[in-house]
């Protein structure tokens, strides 16, 4: 079957190219001078190219999650389902490449502690929120590809606008984190409404797994800061690194949710 094999090829190319670009940029210092961006996530800054090894390399989980989903598609694991991931090339490629790009995006900041790296880390957060929200809205409203892309870009624009509001928010930290949470929760709501449709048969256990994993990961994120009493700066076991790995797992669970769907309107 050509469709899943092509998706796997695209995913592998995206993983190789994106990580090569990031690590070559790190080696040659193209991200700029380290300014301590992201060094408040407990882990001590090391000498050398990779400033925060635990918080950097834990992002490999996103790459593994995206490649795993693409590989499973290529082997026909989900051939019994009828949905936008099994019946098209665009949507599974968009989703799985998006998940893969979360890894190098976050590595850019934690490895360099630069302003440019910080931007790519922020972008990776907004990317997963936009993916989750847009895939839920697309399937609920049966959006065409142009409208799907428009909503996705719109979410990223809104997130960027909120990101530039500098007023701090207790617990959450910033308006950027706030809007990230808004789109995540909104995506969950649309998934719930979509699953209740009579024309949709979907394995909701994956929605529960993704939600619980993300809730646990967020709880761990709240303790991964410099001023937390459990912070151990020189340890390779970092709460923020665990947050990365759990988020990667949640992203894979989202893929399994989307691909488990049987719908009479698989492609709109």
């Amino acid at each position: 079957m050509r469709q899943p094999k092509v998706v796997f090829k695209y995913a592998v190319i995206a993983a190789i190219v994106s990580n090569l670009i990031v690590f070559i940029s790190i080696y040659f210092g193209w991200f700029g001078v380290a300014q301590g961006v992201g060094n408040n996530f407990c882990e001590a800054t090391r000498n050398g190219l990779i400033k925060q090894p635990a918080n950097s390399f834990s992002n490999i989980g996103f790459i593994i999650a995206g490649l795993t989903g693409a590989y499973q598609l290529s082997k026909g694991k989900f051939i019994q389902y009828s949905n936008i991931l099994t019946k098209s090339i665009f949507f599974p490629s968009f989703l799985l490449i998006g998940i893969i790009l979360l890894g190098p995006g976050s590595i850019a900041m934690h490895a360099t502690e630069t302003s440019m790296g910080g931007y790519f880390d922020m972008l990776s957060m907004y990317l997963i929120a936009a993916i989750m929200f847009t895939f839920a809205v697309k399937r609920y409203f049966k959006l065409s590809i142009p409208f799907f892309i428009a909503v996705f870009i719109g979410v990223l624009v809104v997130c960027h606008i909120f990101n530039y509001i500098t007023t701090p928010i207790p617990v959450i930290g910033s308006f950027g984190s706030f809007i990230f949470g808004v789109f995540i929760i909104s995506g969950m709501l649309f998934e719930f409404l979509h699953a209740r449709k009579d024309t949709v048969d979907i394995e909701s256990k994956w929605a529960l797994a993704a939600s619980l994993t993300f809730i646990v990961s967020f709880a761990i994120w709240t303790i991964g800061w410099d001023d937390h009493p459990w912070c151990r700066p020189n340890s390779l076991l970092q709460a923020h690194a665990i947050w990365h790995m759990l988020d990667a797992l949640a992203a894979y669970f989202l893929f399994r949710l989307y691909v488990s769907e049987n719908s009479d309107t698989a492609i709109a």
Side-chain angles (χ1 to χ4, degrees):
M1 186 178 181
R2 180 176 178 273
Q3 177 260 347
K5 293 185 183 298
V6 170
V7 172
F8 181 58
K9 180 176 73 174
Y10 290 165
V12 170
I13 292 172
I16 293 172
V17 171
S18 62
N19 282 281
L20 274 177
I21 290 173
V22 167
F23 282 100
I24 289 174
S25 299
I26 292 172
Y27 182 81
F28 287 104
W30 293 342
F31 283 110
V33 179
Q35 298 170 304
V37 177
N39 68 354
N40 54 339
F41 292 112
C42 182
E43 187 173 13
T45 301
R46 268 72 166 187
N47 294 323
L49 291 177
I50 308 299
K51 304 303 182 186
Q52 300 175 33
N55 289 344
S56 295
F57 292 118
S58 56
N59 286 290
I60 292 174
F62 292 108
I63 302 164
I64 293 172
L67 290 176
T68 298
Y71 178 77
Q72 290 175 328
L73 273 174
S74 76
K75 293 301 181 181
K77 180 177 176 62
F78 311 111
I79 196 170
Q80 71 272 31
Y81 300 111
S82 177
N83 54 69
I84 62 174
L85 297 190
T86 61
K87 299 297 182 181
S88 76
I89 293 175
F90 173 79
F91 289 107
S93 299
F94 192 98
L95 172 66
L96 294 168
I97 290 174
I99 291 173
I100 288 168
L101 293 180
L102 299 176
S106 183
I107 288 172
M109 180 185 77
H110 291 292
T112 68
E113 296 186 355
T114 63
S115 294
M116 184 181 294
Y119 170 76
F120 283 110
D121 177 73
M122 175 206 74
L123 183 60
S124 70
M125 279 183 56
Y126 296 154
L127 186 61
I128 189 60
I131 287 173
M132 183 174 175
F133 178 81
T134 310
F135 266 83
V137 169
K138 182 267 178 291
R139 286 156 43 247
Y140 183 76
F141 291 108
K142 305 175 188 176
L143 300 180
S144 64
I145 289 178
F147 277 103
F148 171 87
I149 294 173
V151 172
F152 180 80
I153 293 174
V155 172
L156 290 181
V157 169
V158 171
C159 287
H160 276 76
I161 291 172
F162 272 76
N163 187 69
Y164 287 105
I165 302 175
T166 57
T167 306
I169 299 177
V171 181
I172 297 176
S174 67
F175 273 90
S177 297
F178 167 76
I179 197 64
F180 167 77
V182 167
F183 281 117
I184 291 289
I185 294 171
S186 298
M188 291 179 180
L189 175 61
F190 276 109
E191 286 295 344
F192 173 76
L193 295 174
H194 180 67
R196 289 178 61 86
K197 288 182 177 180
D198 293 335
T199 56
V200 173
D201 176 25
I202 192 167
E203 296 179 7
S204 298
K205 65 181 181 181
W206 297 110
L208 178 62
S211 299
L212 291 177
T213 302
F214 186 78
I215 290 170
V216 172
S217 73
F218 179 75
I220 292 174
W221 177 82
T222 64
I223 68 174
W225 297 86
D226 285 351
D227 57 357
H228 195 277
W230 294 354
C231 173
R232 299 293 182 269
N234 295 307
S235 173
L236 288 177
L237 179 61
Q238 292 292 329
H240 197 75
I242 296 172
W243 144 266
H244 288 157
M245 292 185 286
L246 287 177
D247 280 355
L249 185 60
Y252 174 74
F253 288 154
L254 278 178
F255 162 75
R256 292 300 302 266
L257 174 69
Y258 302 151
V259 84
S260 74
E261 181 176 331
N262 275 306
S263 172
D264 61 2
T265 56
I267 300 296

